[in-house]
């Protein structure tokens, strides 16, 4: 297929293989691409290939994303450790330490 694609060129408003090359595999792909966009194909197979590929791509991108940062939900959190030191979570603007 790669060899045929590399020899697939535009000629007189159409596309075909260069002289001495074949285009049967490429034309099969062209026909499949055209057929898969037709409403009859979508109704017959109940598969929307374009939508399915898009959803798979989005899912893969979401899986590859790394979580970042922390979200402040506005709760004041305080706790005391075993030594009796009082700790609390403060905003970055709040420079007070206990």
């Amino acid at each position: 297929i790669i060899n045929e694609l590399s020899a697939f060129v535009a000629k007189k408003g159409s596309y075909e293989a260069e002289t001495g090359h074949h285009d049967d595999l490429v034309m099969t792909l062209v026909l499949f691409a055209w057929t898969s966009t037709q409403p009859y194909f979508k109704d017959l197979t109940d598969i929307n290939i374009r939508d399915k590929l898009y959803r798979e791509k989005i899912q893969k991108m979401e899986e590859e994303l790394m979580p970042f940062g922390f979200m402040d939900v506005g709760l004041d959190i305080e706790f005391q450790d075993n030594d009796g030191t009082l700790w609390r979570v403060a905003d970055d603007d709040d420079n007070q330490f206990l």
Side-chain angles (χ1 to χ4, degrees):
I1 293 175
I2 293 173
N3 289 337
E4 286 189 15
L5 283 170
S6 63
F8 199 68
V9 296
K11 285 188 181 176
K12 299 179 185 176
S14 184
Y15 296 91
E16 61 185 51
E18 292 177 334
T19 305
H21 293 89
H22 299 281
D23 63 0
D24 52 339
L25 296 175
V26 174
M27 289 310 298
T28 302
L29 293 175
V30 169
L31 288 172
F32 175 74
W34 175 80
T35 304
S36 66
T37 62
Q38 301 304 304
Y40 177 75
F41 180 83
K42 292 176 186 175
D43 293 340
L44 182 66
T45 61
D46 196 30
I47 298 172
N48 186 341
I49 293 174
R50 186 178 198 177
D51 186 49
K52 183 178 178 181
L53 289 173
Y54 177 76
R55 280 187 273 120
E56 288 174 0
K57 182 177 180 181
I58 294 298
Q59 181 181 358
K60 185 176 180 181
M61 287 172 36
E62 288 175 351
E63 289 172 357
E64 292 175 354
L65 287 176
M66 293 192 58
F68 62 95
F70 296 93
M71 187 168 72
D72 181 13
V73 292
L75 298 176
D76 292 331
I77 301 172
E78 294 184 354
F79 64 94
Q80 190 169 8
D81 64 12
N82 293 337
D83 297 330
T85 306
L86 181 64
W87 297 87
R88 74 178 174 96
V89 176
D91 291 335
D92 291 340
D93 296 334
D94 187 6
N95 294 324
Q96 298 176 3
F97 298 98
L98 295 177

